[in-house]
Amino acid sequence: MRAIHHWDLWVDDFETAVGEWGWLFGELGWEAGEKGHFWEAPDGTYVFMEHSTDQHGTQDRLRPGVNHIAFMVDDRELLDRMRAASTEHGWHEMYADRYPHAGGDEHTALYLESSEGFEVEVVLEVEDLTA
């Protein structure tokens, strides 16, 4: 049984967000579908992206709500490739001076922020303290 069925991602700038998130999900092995605003993980978890007229305000992960989402990868080379390519796909690397151990010496991860302020952490599943 998977832990999450799906989640909805509301964005302000739909076209920009589709480019940013589409790249990220593609790197993580998620399949695109439904007119470019739906992605599905190998385990069946999916995300649906939309811009809604019900939205108000901007994303602020420091206010009450969701701070960030963390995805897992099992390949250090993929993590490094994502780091190298993230900027050209609209993402800003957070804590670049402490990569890959910004979360601590025993935690290997890449921290990214989208143009709308969404934070994503990409965690190396197999912890390698020499990485």
Side-chain angles (χ1 to χ4, degrees):
M1 185 169 161
R2 63 186 195 240
I4 297 175
H5 184 268
H6 78 278
W7 51 286
D8 291 344
L9 178 62
W10 282 15
V11 298
D12 188 44
D13 182 342
F14 189 80
E15 294 304 316
T16 298
V18 164
E20 291 172 355
W21 288 93
W23 169 79
L24 181 84
F25 290 131
E27 290 295 305
L28 295 173
W30 293 43
E31 294 291 324
E34 199 176 315
K35 301 177 187 171
H37 58 275
F38 171 90
W39 294 268
E40 185 173 356
D43 73 354
T45 301
Y46 66 91
V47 62
F48 182 80
M49 180 184 297
E50 68 178 310
H51 175 81
S52 172
T53 56
D54 293 334
Q55 287 176 225
H56 55 86
T58 58
Q59 164 66 14
D60 184 350
R61 70 177 179 280
L62 301 178
R63 297 194 60 184
V66 175
N67 176 273
H68 72 278
I69 186 164
F71 297 97
M72 295 180 75
V73 296
D74 60 4
D75 181 350
R76 174 60 193 269
E77 288 181 19
L78 172 59
L79 195 69
D80 292 339
R81 274 196 322 271
M82 289 179 72
R83 179 184 193 219
S86 62
T87 302
E88 66 189 73
H89 294 281
W91 293 89
H92 166 74
E93 182 180 359
M94 304 170 70
Y95 321 115
D97 60 325
R98 295 184 276 161
Y99 178 80
H101 300 294
D105 291 341
E106 297 181 19
H107 186 72
T108 303
L110 171 64
Y111 295 83
L112 299 172
E113 181 179 34
S114 76
S115 63
E116 291 189 289
F118 292 100
E119 181 183 341
V120 168
E121 180 180 353
V122 184
V123 180
L124 184 63
E125 182 177 21
V126 179
E127 295 296 331
D128 179 356
L129 299 182
T130 63

mmCIF file of all heavy atoms in Angstrom, residues 39-89:
data_model
loop_
_atom_site.group_PDB
_atom_site.id
_atom_site.type_symbol
_atom_site.label_atom_id
_atom_site.label_comp_id
_atom_site.label_asym_id
_atom_site.label_seq_id
_atom_site.Cartn_x
_atom_site.Cartn_y
_atom_site.Cartn_z
ATOM 1 N N TRP A 39 0.900 14.200 -13.120
ATOM 2 C CA TRP A 39 2.056 13.313 -13.137
ATOM 3 C C TRP A 39 1.794 12.172 -12.176
ATOM 4 O O TRP A 39 1.242 12.368 -11.095
ATOM 5 C CB TRP A 39 3.331 14.042 -12.726
ATOM 6 C CG TRP A 39 3.733 15.087 -13.699
ATOM 7 C CD1 TRP A 39 4.579 14.937 -14.771
ATOM 8 C CD2 TRP A 39 3.330 16.447 -13.715
ATOM 9 N NE1 TRP A 39 4.706 16.120 -15.442
ATOM 10 C CE2 TRP A 39 3.945 17.067 -14.812
ATOM 11 C CE3 TRP A 39 2.486 17.215 -12.903
ATOM 12 C CZ2 TRP A 39 3.757 18.405 -15.127
ATOM 13 C CZ3 TRP A 39 2.292 18.542 -13.215
ATOM 14 C CH2 TRP A 39 2.932 19.119 -14.306
ATOM 15 N N GLU A 40 2.250 10.966 -12.562
ATOM 16 C CA GLU A 40 2.036 9.786 -11.732
ATOM 17 C C GLU A 40 3.359 9.094 -11.452
ATOM 18 O O GLU A 40 4.156 8.838 -12.354
ATOM 19 C CB GLU A 40 1.086 8.804 -12.426
ATOM 20 C CG GLU A 40 0.732 7.620 -11.556
ATOM 21 C CD GLU A 40 -0.340 6.733 -12.180
ATOM 22 O OE1 GLU A 40 -0.860 7.081 -13.259
ATOM 23 O OE2 GLU A 40 -0.624 5.689 -11.585
ATOM 24 N N ALA A 41 3.578 8.777 -10.173
ATOM 25 C CA ALA A 41 4.777 8.061 -9.732
ATOM 26 C C ALA A 41 4.631 6.581 -10.048
ATOM 27 O O ALA A 41 3.517 6.084 -10.228
ATOM 28 C CB ALA A 41 4.977 8.259 -8.230
ATOM 29 N N PRO A 42 5.742 5.855 -10.088
ATOM 30 C CA PRO A 42 5.678 4.421 -10.349
ATOM 31 C C PRO A 42 4.766 3.654 -9.380
ATOM 32 O O PRO A 42 4.197 2.635 -9.755
ATOM 33 C CB PRO A 42 7.134 3.961 -10.219
ATOM 34 C CG PRO A 42 7.928 5.171 -10.596
ATOM 35 C CD PRO A 42 7.137 6.331 -10.030
ATOM 36 N N ASP A 43 4.599 4.149 -8.144
ATOM 37 C CA ASP A 43 3.744 3.448 -7.183
ATOM 38 C C ASP A 43 2.268 3.810 -7.307
ATOM 39 O O ASP A 43 1.431 3.310 -6.566
ATOM 40 C CB ASP A 43 4.220 3.686 -5.745
ATOM 41 C CG ASP A 43 3.933 5.091 -5.226
ATOM 42 O OD1 ASP A 43 3.458 5.958 -6.000
ATOM 43 O OD2 ASP A 43 4.177 5.332 -4.029
ATOM 44 N N GLY A 44 1.929 4.708 -8.247
ATOM 45 C CA GLY A 44 0.540 5.105 -8.454
ATOM 46 C C GLY A 44 0.161 6.428 -7.814
ATOM 47 O O GLY A 44 -0.899 6.981 -8.103
ATOM 48 N N THR A 45 0.996 6.955 -6.936
ATOM 49 C CA THR A 45 0.749 8.274 -6.359
ATOM 50 C C THR A 45 0.740 9.285 -7.491
ATOM 51 O O THR A 45 1.568 9.210 -8.398
ATOM 52 C CB THR A 45 1.838 8.637 -5.342
ATOM 53 O OG1 THR A 45 1.862 7.657 -4.313
ATOM 54 C CG2 THR A 45 1.612 10.015 -4.745
ATOM 55 N N TYR A 46 -0.168 10.242 -7.442
ATOM 56 C CA TYR A 46 -0.166 11.235 -8.501
ATOM 57 C C TYR A 46 -0.369 12.632 -7.940
ATOM 58 O O TYR A 46 -0.828 12.818 -6.817
ATOM 59 C CB TYR A 46 -1.215 10.916 -9.576
ATOM 60 C CG TYR A 46 -2.657 10.993 -9.129
ATOM 61 C CD1 TYR A 46 -3.379 12.173 -9.253
ATOM 62 C CD2 TYR A 46 -3.288 9.884 -8.595
ATOM 63 C CE1 TYR A 46 -4.700 12.239 -8.859
ATOM 64 C CE2 TYR A 46 -4.616 9.938 -8.198
ATOM 65 C CZ TYR A 46 -5.320 11.124 -8.338
ATOM 66 O OH TYR A 46 -6.628 11.190 -7.938
ATOM 67 N N VAL A 47 0.027 13.602 -8.753
ATOM 68 C CA VAL A 47 -0.163 15.011 -8.430
ATOM 69 C C VAL A 47 -0.901 15.654 -9.587
ATOM 70 O O VAL A 47 -0.672 15.343 -10.748
ATOM 71 C CB VAL A 47 1.181 15.719 -8.142
ATOM 72 C CG1 VAL A 47 2.088 15.702 -9.343
ATOM 73 C CG2 VAL A 47 0.960 17.140 -7.664
ATOM 74 N N PHE A 48 -1.826 16.523 -9.234
ATOM 75 C CA PHE A 48 -2.602 17.265 -10.216
ATOM 76 C C PHE A 48 -2.327 18.741 -9.992
ATOM 77 O O PHE A 48 -2.450 19.236 -8.873
ATOM 78 C CB PHE A 48 -4.094 16.961 -10.038
ATOM 79 C CG PHE A 48 -4.969 17.641 -11.036
ATOM 80 C CD1 PHE A 48 -5.110 17.127 -12.310
ATOM 81 C CD2 PHE A 48 -5.644 18.808 -10.712
ATOM 82 C CE1 PHE A 48 -5.912 17.756 -13.249
ATOM 83 C CE2 PHE A 48 -6.444 19.441 -11.640
ATOM 84 C CZ PHE A 48 -6.583 18.909 -12.914
ATOM 85 N N MET A 49 -1.921 19.462 -11.033
ATOM 86 C CA MET A 49 -1.590 20.872 -10.929
ATOM 87 C C MET A 49 -2.703 21.699 -11.549
ATOM 88 O O MET A 49 -3.208 21.371 -12.614
ATOM 89 C CB MET A 49 -0.279 21.158 -11.654
ATOM 90 C CG MET A 49 0.128 22.617 -11.587
ATOM 91 S SD MET A 49 1.609 22.946 -12.555
ATOM 92 C CE MET A 49 2.785 21.950 -11.695
ATOM 93 N N GLU A 50 -3.046 22.779 -10.870
ATOM 94 C CA GLU A 50 -4.059 23.672 -11.422
ATOM 95 C C GLU A 50 -3.879 25.085 -10.895
ATOM 96 O O GLU A 50 -3.235 25.315 -9.872
ATOM 97 C CB GLU A 50 -5.460 23.168 -11.108
ATOM 98 C CG GLU A 50 -5.827 23.224 -9.648
ATOM 99 C CD GLU A 50 -7.249 22.764 -9.371
ATOM 100 O OE1 GLU A 50 -8.177 23.253 -10.042
ATOM 101 O OE2 GLU A 50 -7.419 21.916 -8.490
ATOM 102 N N HIS A 51 -4.478 25.997 -11.620
ATOM 103 C CA HIS A 51 -4.630 27.374 -11.161
ATOM 104 C C HIS A 51 -6.125 27.565 -10.955
ATOM 105 O O HIS A 51 -6.911 27.293 -11.854
ATOM 106 C CB HIS A 51 -4.101 28.381 -12.176
ATOM 107 C CG HIS A 51 -4.368 29.794 -11.763
ATOM 108 N ND1 HIS A 51 -3.569 30.444 -10.859
ATOM 109 C CD2 HIS A 51 -5.361 30.639 -12.079
ATOM 110 C CE1 HIS A 51 -4.059 31.656 -10.659
ATOM 111 N NE2 HIS A 51 -5.150 31.797 -11.395
ATOM 112 N N SER A 52 -6.518 27.977 -9.773
ATOM 113 C CA SER A 52 -7.931 28.097 -9.445
ATOM 114 C C SER A 52 -8.300 29.543 -9.154
ATOM 115 O O SER A 52 -7.522 30.291 -8.551
ATOM 116 C CB SER A 52 -8.247 27.241 -8.212
ATOM 117 O OG SER A 52 -9.562 27.491 -7.777
ATOM 118 N N THR A 53 -9.505 29.916 -9.551
ATOM 119 C CA THR A 53 -10.015 31.258 -9.226
ATOM 120 C C THR A 53 -10.288 31.386 -7.732
ATOM 121 O O THR A 53 -10.472 32.498 -7.230
ATOM 122 C CB THR A 53 -11.296 31.557 -10.021
ATOM 123 O OG1 THR A 53 -12.255 30.529 -9.748
ATOM 124 C CG2 THR A 53 -11.007 31.612 -11.521
ATOM 125 N N ASP A 54 -10.316 30.266 -7.014
ATOM 126 C CA ASP A 54 -10.517 30.295 -5.563
ATOM 127 C C ASP A 54 -9.247 30.689 -4.800
ATOM 128 O O ASP A 54 -9.308 30.966 -3.603
ATOM 129 C CB ASP A 54 -10.983 28.926 -5.055
ATOM 130 C CG ASP A 54 -12.366 28.563 -5.546
ATOM 131 O OD1 ASP A 54 -13.157 29.490 -5.838
ATOM 132 O OD2 ASP A 54 -12.657 27.365 -5.662
ATOM 133 N N GLN A 55 -8.109 30.692 -5.468
ATOM 134 C CA GLN A 55 -6.848 31.030 -4.810
ATOM 135 C C GLN A 55 -6.832 32.479 -4.383
ATOM 136 O O GLN A 55 -7.413 33.342 -5.042
ATOM 137 C CB GLN A 55 -5.674 30.833 -5.778
ATOM 138 C CG GLN A 55 -5.320 29.428 -6.062
ATOM 139 C CD GLN A 55 -4.222 29.332 -7.095
ATOM 140 O OE1 GLN A 55 -4.328 28.532 -7.984
ATOM 141 N NE2 GLN A 55 -3.181 30.127 -6.991
ATOM 142 N N HIS A 56 -6.105 32.740 -3.297
ATOM 143 C CA HIS A 56 -5.836 34.120 -2.896
ATOM 144 C C HIS A 56 -4.509 34.142 -2.165
ATOM 145 O O HIS A 56 -4.157 33.220 -1.442
ATOM 146 C CB HIS A 56 -6.966 34.703 -2.041
ATOM 147 C CG HIS A 56 -7.289 33.891 -0.826
ATOM 148 N ND1 HIS A 56 -6.618 34.032 0.359
ATOM 149 C CD2 HIS A 56 -8.200 32.905 -0.623
ATOM 150 C CE1 HIS A 56 -7.105 33.184 1.249
ATOM 151 N NE2 HIS A 56 -8.055 32.485 0.674
ATOM 152 N N GLY A 57 -3.726 35.162 -2.400
ATOM 153 C CA GLY A 57 -2.406 35.258 -1.787
ATOM 154 C C GLY A 57 -1.385 34.446 -2.549
ATOM 155 O O GLY A 57 -1.669 33.846 -3.581
ATOM 156 N N THR A 58 -0.170 34.462 -2.037
ATOM 157 C CA THR A 58 0.932 33.741 -2.670
ATOM 158 C C THR A 58 1.418 32.642 -1.740
ATOM 159 O O THR A 58 1.157 32.654 -0.538
ATOM 160 C CB THR A 58 2.100 34.689 -2.988
ATOM 161 O OG1 THR A 58 2.526 35.309 -1.768
ATOM 162 C CG2 THR A 58 1.697 35.756 -3.991
ATOM 163 N N GLN A 59 2.163 31.705 -2.307
ATOM 164 C CA GLN A 59 2.755 30.608 -1.541
ATOM 165 C C GLN A 59 3.779 31.166 -0.566
ATOM 166 O O GLN A 59 4.627 31.976 -0.941
ATOM 167 C CB GLN A 59 3.421 29.615 -2.496
ATOM 168 C CG GLN A 59 4.389 28.640 -1.882
ATOM 169 C CD GLN A 59 3.735 27.651 -0.932
ATOM 170 O OE1 GLN A 59 2.545 27.502 -0.901
ATOM 171 N NE2 GLN A 59 4.541 26.972 -0.148
ATOM 172 N N ASP A 60 3.692 30.764 0.679
ATOM 173 C CA ASP A 60 4.683 31.145 1.688
ATOM 174 C C ASP A 60 4.867 29.954 2.620
ATOM 175 O O ASP A 60 4.059 29.728 3.513
ATOM 176 C CB ASP A 60 4.226 32.372 2.464
ATOM 177 C CG ASP A 60 5.271 32.863 3.464
ATOM 178 O OD1 ASP A 60 6.282 32.146 3.699
ATOM 179 O OD2 ASP A 60 5.085 33.954 4.018
ATOM 180 N N ARG A 61 5.916 29.177 2.393
ATOM 181 C CA ARG A 61 6.125 27.954 3.174
ATOM 182 C C ARG A 61 6.439 28.244 4.638
ATOM 183 O O ARG A 61 6.461 27.331 5.460
ATOM 184 C CB ARG A 61 7.215 27.094 2.549
ATOM 185 C CG ARG A 61 8.595 27.664 2.654
ATOM 186 C CD ARG A 61 9.635 26.712 2.059
ATOM 187 N NE ARG A 61 10.932 27.286 2.163
ATOM 188 C CZ ARG A 61 11.430 28.204 1.346
ATOM 189 N NH1 ARG A 61 10.721 28.618 0.338
ATOM 190 N NH2 ARG A 61 12.630 28.687 1.536
ATOM 191 N N LEU A 62 6.698 29.508 4.973
ATOM 192 C CA LEU A 62 7.003 29.859 6.354
ATOM 193 C C LEU A 62 5.754 30.213 7.160
ATOM 194 O O LEU A 62 5.837 30.445 8.357
ATOM 195 C CB LEU A 62 8.016 31.010 6.387
ATOM 196 C CG LEU A 62 9.343 30.698 5.685
ATOM 197 C CD1 LEU A 62 10.261 31.906 5.724
ATOM 198 C CD2 LEU A 62 10.019 29.480 6.291
ATOM 199 N N ARG A 63 4.606 30.244 6.500
ATOM 200 C CA ARG A 63 3.332 30.456 7.190
ATOM 201 C C ARG A 63 2.722 29.094 7.501
ATOM 202 O O ARG A 63 3.155 28.084 6.960
ATOM 203 C CB ARG A 63 2.402 31.277 6.295
ATOM 204 C CG ARG A 63 2.983 32.673 6.018
ATOM 205 C CD ARG A 63 1.974 33.573 5.454
ATOM 206 N NE ARG A 63 0.886 33.681 6.448
ATOM 207 C CZ ARG A 63 -0.217 34.345 6.235
ATOM 208 N NH1 ARG A 63 -0.428 34.933 5.099
ATOM 209 N NH2 ARG A 63 -1.147 34.398 7.159
ATOM 210 N N PRO A 64 1.713 29.032 8.346
ATOM 211 C CA PRO A 64 1.067 27.749 8.617
ATOM 212 C C PRO A 64 0.636 27.074 7.315
ATOM 213 O O PRO A 64 0.140 27.729 6.398
ATOM 214 C CB PRO A 64 -0.143 28.133 9.474
ATOM 215 C CG PRO A 64 0.282 29.391 10.160
ATOM 216 C CD PRO A 64 1.116 30.122 9.138
ATOM 217 N N GLY A 65 0.864 25.785 7.256
ATOM 218 C CA GLY A 65 0.570 25.019 6.052
ATOM 219 C C GLY A 65 1.715 24.050 5.802
ATOM 220 O O GLY A 65 2.451 23.694 6.703
ATOM 221 N N VAL A 66 1.877 23.662 4.569
ATOM 222 C CA VAL A 66 2.943 22.729 4.210
ATOM 223 C C VAL A 66 4.230 23.508 3.955
ATOM 224 O O VAL A 66 4.244 24.448 3.162
ATOM 225 C CB VAL A 66 2.563 21.900 2.962
ATOM 226 C CG1 VAL A 66 3.702 21.019 2.522
ATOM 227 C CG2 VAL A 66 1.319 21.071 3.255
ATOM 228 N N ASN A 67 5.309 23.117 4.612
ATOM 229 C CA ASN A 67 6.599 23.773 4.426
ATOM 230 C C ASN A 67 7.288 23.274 3.173
ATOM 231 O O ASN A 67 7.761 24.066 2.363
ATOM 232 C CB ASN A 67 7.490 23.545 5.653
ATOM 233 C CG ASN A 67 8.873 24.114 5.481
ATOM 234 O OD1 ASN A 67 9.758 23.438 4.947
ATOM 235 N ND2 ASN A 67 9.064 25.351 5.897
ATOM 236 N N HIS A 68 7.381 21.954 2.990
ATOM 237 C CA HIS A 68 8.016 21.395 1.795
ATOM 238 C C HIS A 68 7.618 19.938 1.641
ATOM 239 O O HIS A 68 7.043 19.345 2.547
ATOM 240 C CB HIS A 68 9.541 21.547 1.841
ATOM 241 C CG HIS A 68 10.237 20.659 2.818
ATOM 242 N ND1 HIS A 68 10.347 20.952 4.155
ATOM 243 C CD2 HIS A 68 10.871 19.473 2.648
ATOM 244 C CE1 HIS A 68 11.028 19.987 4.759
ATOM 245 N NE2 HIS A 68 11.349 19.072 3.873
ATOM 246 N N ILE A 69 7.952 19.397 0.493
ATOM 247 C CA ILE A 69 7.727 17.975 0.235
ATOM 248 C C ILE A 69 9.082 17.356 -0.090
ATOM 249 O O ILE A 69 9.924 18.000 -0.733
ATOM 250 C CB ILE A 69 6.701 17.738 -0.897
ATOM 251 C CG1 ILE A 69 6.389 16.249 -1.025
ATOM 252 C CG2 ILE A 69 7.153 18.359 -2.197
ATOM 253 C CD1 ILE A 69 5.137 15.959 -1.817
ATOM 254 N N ALA A 70 9.298 16.139 0.378
ATOM 255 C CA ALA A 70 10.575 15.454 0.157
ATOM 256 C C ALA A 70 10.332 14.198 -0.671
ATOM 257 O O ALA A 70 9.456 13.403 -0.348
ATOM 258 C CB ALA A 70 11.234 15.107 1.487
ATOM 259 N N PHE A 71 11.112 14.060 -1.727
ATOM 260 C CA PHE A 71 11.065 12.889 -2.595
ATOM 261 C C PHE A 71 12.331 12.081 -2.374
ATOM 262 O O PHE A 71 13.359 12.626 -1.975
ATOM 263 C CB PHE A 71 10.998 13.307 -4.068
ATOM 264 C CG PHE A 71 9.768 14.077 -4.421
ATOM 265 C CD1 PHE A 71 9.784 15.457 -4.458
ATOM 266 C CD2 PHE A 71 8.584 13.418 -4.727
ATOM 267 C CE1 PHE A 71 8.643 16.180 -4.796
ATOM 268 C CE2 PHE A 71 7.438 14.121 -5.057
ATOM 269 C CZ PHE A 71 7.470 15.507 -5.094
ATOM 270 N N MET A 72 12.269 10.791 -2.667
ATOM 271 C CA MET A 72 13.432 9.926 -2.494
ATOM 272 C C MET A 72 13.952 9.456 -3.843
ATOM 273 O O MET A 72 13.175 9.175 -4.755
ATOM 274 C CB MET A 72 13.070 8.719 -1.626
ATOM 275 C CG MET A 72 12.698 9.131 -0.214
ATOM 276 S SD MET A 72 12.257 7.726 0.819
ATOM 277 C CE MET A 72 13.869 7.056 1.122
ATOM 278 N N VAL A 73 15.270 9.398 -3.952
ATOM 279 C CA VAL A 73 15.941 8.790 -5.099
ATOM 280 C C VAL A 73 16.944 7.788 -4.543
ATOM 281 O O VAL A 73 17.349 7.878 -3.385
ATOM 282 C CB VAL A 73 16.652 9.833 -5.996
ATOM 283 C CG1 VAL A 73 15.651 10.794 -6.618
ATOM 284 C CG2 VAL A 73 17.720 10.602 -5.236
ATOM 285 N N ASP A 74 17.342 6.826 -5.371
ATOM 286 C CA ASP A 74 18.303 5.828 -4.889
ATOM 287 C C ASP A 74 19.604 5.858 -5.682
ATOM 288 O O ASP A 74 20.359 4.903 -5.679
ATOM 289 C CB ASP A 74 17.694 4.428 -4.921
ATOM 290 C CG ASP A 74 17.263 3.995 -6.307
ATOM 291 O OD1 ASP A 74 17.505 4.740 -7.279
ATOM 292 O OD2 ASP A 74 16.683 2.905 -6.428
ATOM 293 N N ASP A 75 19.881 6.999 -6.328
ATOM 294 C CA ASP A 75 21.044 7.113 -7.200
ATOM 295 C C ASP A 75 21.712 8.469 -6.979
ATOM 296 O O ASP A 75 21.134 9.506 -7.298
ATOM 297 C CB ASP A 75 20.564 6.971 -8.654
ATOM 298 C CG ASP A 75 21.677 7.046 -9.671
ATOM 299 O OD1 ASP A 75 22.822 7.394 -9.317
ATOM 300 O OD2 ASP A 75 21.394 6.776 -10.847
ATOM 301 N N ARG A 76 22.918 8.454 -6.427
ATOM 302 C CA ARG A 76 23.644 9.700 -6.157
ATOM 303 C C ARG A 76 23.941 10.455 -7.446
ATOM 304 O O ARG A 76 23.910 11.694 -7.477
ATOM 305 C CB ARG A 76 24.936 9.402 -5.384
ATOM 306 C CG ARG A 76 25.861 10.584 -5.169
ATOM 307 C CD ARG A 76 25.190 11.726 -4.376
ATOM 308 N NE ARG A 76 25.977 12.933 -4.456
ATOM 309 C CZ ARG A 76 26.930 13.272 -3.595
ATOM 310 N NH1 ARG A 76 27.209 12.501 -2.572
ATOM 311 N NH2 ARG A 76 27.602 14.397 -3.752
ATOM 312 N N GLU A 77 24.205 9.739 -8.537
ATOM 313 C CA GLU A 77 24.457 10.405 -9.815
ATOM 314 C C GLU A 77 23.232 11.187 -10.263
ATOM 315 O O GLU A 77 23.363 12.288 -10.799
ATOM 316 C CB GLU A 77 24.878 9.390 -10.879
ATOM 317 C CG GLU A 77 26.269 8.842 -10.659
ATOM 318 C CD GLU A 77 26.677 7.855 -11.737
ATOM 319 O OE1 GLU A 77 26.077 7.845 -12.825
ATOM 320 O OE2 GLU A 77 27.619 7.085 -11.479
ATOM 321 N N LEU A 78 22.031 10.643 -10.055
ATOM 322 C CA LEU A 78 20.801 11.355 -10.390
ATOM 323 C C LEU A 78 20.679 12.624 -9.556
ATOM 324 O O LEU A 78 20.344 13.684 -10.069
ATOM 325 C CB LEU A 78 19.574 10.457 -10.181
ATOM 326 C CG LEU A 78 18.213 11.135 -10.317
ATOM 327 C CD1 LEU A 78 18.041 11.755 -11.710
ATOM 328 C CD2 LEU A 78 17.092 10.153 -10.020
ATOM 329 N N LEU A 79 20.967 12.528 -8.271
ATOM 330 C CA LEU A 79 20.919 13.693 -7.395
ATOM 331 C C LEU A 79 21.864 14.778 -7.904
ATOM 332 O O LEU A 79 21.485 15.949 -8.001
ATOM 333 C CB LEU A 79 21.291 13.270 -5.968
ATOM 334 C CG LEU A 79 20.972 14.249 -4.852
ATOM 335 C CD1 LEU A 79 19.477 14.371 -4.649
ATOM 336 C CD2 LEU A 79 21.644 13.794 -3.565
ATOM 337 N N ASP A 80 23.078 14.395 -8.276
ATOM 338 C CA ASP A 80 24.054 15.359 -8.796
ATOM 339 C C ASP A 80 23.611 15.943 -10.132
ATOM 340 O O ASP A 80 23.780 17.145 -10.388
ATOM 341 C CB ASP A 80 25.431 14.703 -8.944
ATOM 342 C CG ASP A 80 26.072 14.352 -7.608
ATOM 343 O OD1 ASP A 80 25.683 14.934 -6.562
ATOM 344 O OD2 ASP A 80 26.957 13.484 -7.597
ATOM 345 N N ARG A 81 23.026 15.110 -11.005
ATOM 346 C CA ARG A 81 22.524 15.606 -12.303
ATOM 347 C C ARG A 81 21.390 16.605 -12.100
ATOM 348 O O ARG A 81 21.318 17.626 -12.773
ATOM 349 C CB ARG A 81 22.022 14.447 -13.172
ATOM 350 C CG ARG A 81 23.065 13.773 -13.988
ATOM 351 C CD ARG A 81 22.489 12.906 -15.106
ATOM 352 N NE ARG A 81 21.273 12.170 -14.792
ATOM 353 C CZ ARG A 81 21.233 10.949 -14.268
ATOM 354 N NH1 ARG A 81 22.363 10.307 -13.978
ATOM 355 N NH2 ARG A 81 20.080 10.355 -14.032
ATOM 356 N N MET A 82 20.501 16.287 -11.170
ATOM 357 C CA MET A 82 19.397 17.193 -10.886
ATOM 358 C C MET A 82 19.927 18.526 -10.360
ATOM 359 O O MET A 82 19.432 19.584 -10.737
ATOM 360 C CB MET A 82 18.425 16.571 -9.879
ATOM 361 C CG MET A 82 17.624 15.424 -10.455
ATOM 362 S SD MET A 82 16.493 14.683 -9.260
ATOM 363 C CE MET A 82 15.257 15.989 -9.127
ATOM 364 N N ARG A 83 20.922 18.462 -9.524
ATOM 365 C CA ARG A 83 21.523 19.687 -9.002
ATOM 366 C C ARG A 83 22.090 20.525 -10.141
ATOM 367 O O ARG A 83 21.863 21.726 -10.220
ATOM 368 C CB ARG A 83 22.626 19.357 -8.002
ATOM 369 C CG ARG A 83 23.289 20.586 -7.442
ATOM 370 C CD ARG A 83 24.445 20.258 -6.535
ATOM 371 N NE ARG A 83 24.863 21.431 -5.787
ATOM 372 C CZ ARG A 83 26.109 21.723 -5.541
ATOM 373 N NH1 ARG A 83 27.086 20.932 -5.952
ATOM 374 N NH2 ARG A 83 26.404 22.815 -4.851
ATOM 375 N N ALA A 84 22.823 19.882 -11.035
ATOM 376 C CA ALA A 84 23.469 20.593 -12.142
ATOM 377 C C ALA A 84 22.455 21.210 -13.103
ATOM 378 O O ALA A 84 22.698 22.287 -13.653
ATOM 379 C CB ALA A 84 24.398 19.640 -12.898
ATOM 380 N N ALA A 85 21.317 20.559 -13.293
ATOM 381 C CA ALA A 85 20.342 21.020 -14.288
ATOM 382 C C ALA A 85 19.204 21.848 -13.693
ATOM 383 O O ALA A 85 18.431 22.453 -14.445
ATOM 384 C CB ALA A 85 19.754 19.813 -15.014
ATOM 385 N N SER A 86 19.085 21.897 -12.395
ATOM 386 C CA SER A 86 17.910 22.522 -11.765
ATOM 387 C C SER A 86 17.718 23.984 -12.156
ATOM 388 O O SER A 86 16.590 24.410 -12.434
ATOM 389 C CB SER A 86 17.982 22.383 -10.249
ATOM 390 O OG SER A 86 19.119 23.048 -9.724
ATOM 391 N N THR A 87 18.767 24.757 -12.196
ATOM 392 C CA THR A 87 18.644 26.178 -12.492
ATOM 393 C C THR A 87 18.075 26.428 -13.879
ATOM 394 O O THR A 87 17.221 27.295 -14.051
ATOM 395 C CB THR A 87 20.007 26.884 -12.345
ATOM 396 O OG1 THR A 87 20.476 26.670 -11.008
ATOM 397 C CG2 THR A 87 19.902 28.370 -12.604
ATOM 398 N N GLU A 88 18.512 25.656 -14.859
ATOM 399 C CA GLU A 88 18.004 25.867 -16.221
ATOM 400 C C GLU A 88 16.548 25.444 -16.355
ATOM 401 O O GLU A 88 15.919 25.733 -17.375
ATOM 402 C CB GLU A 88 18.873 25.153 -17.251
ATOM 403 C CG GLU A 88 18.839 23.651 -17.167
ATOM 404 C CD GLU A 88 19.880 22.988 -18.051
ATOM 405 O OE1 GLU A 88 21.073 23.050 -17.704
ATOM 406 O OE2 GLU A 88 19.476 22.408 -19.074
ATOM 407 N N HIS A 89 15.989 24.825 -15.334
ATOM 408 C CA HIS A 89 14.582 24.423 -15.343
ATOM 409 C C HIS A 89 13.764 25.229 -14.339
ATOM 410 O O HIS A 89 12.663 24.830 -13.956
ATOM 411 C CB HIS A 89 14.461 22.926 -15.072
ATOM 412 C CG HIS A 89 15.059 22.107 -16.168
ATOM 413 N ND1 HIS A 89 14.411 21.878 -17.359
ATOM 414 C CD2 HIS A 89 16.264 21.523 -16.279
ATOM 415 C CE1 HIS A 89 15.184 21.169 -18.151
ATOM 416 N NE2 HIS A 89 16.318 20.943 -17.510
#
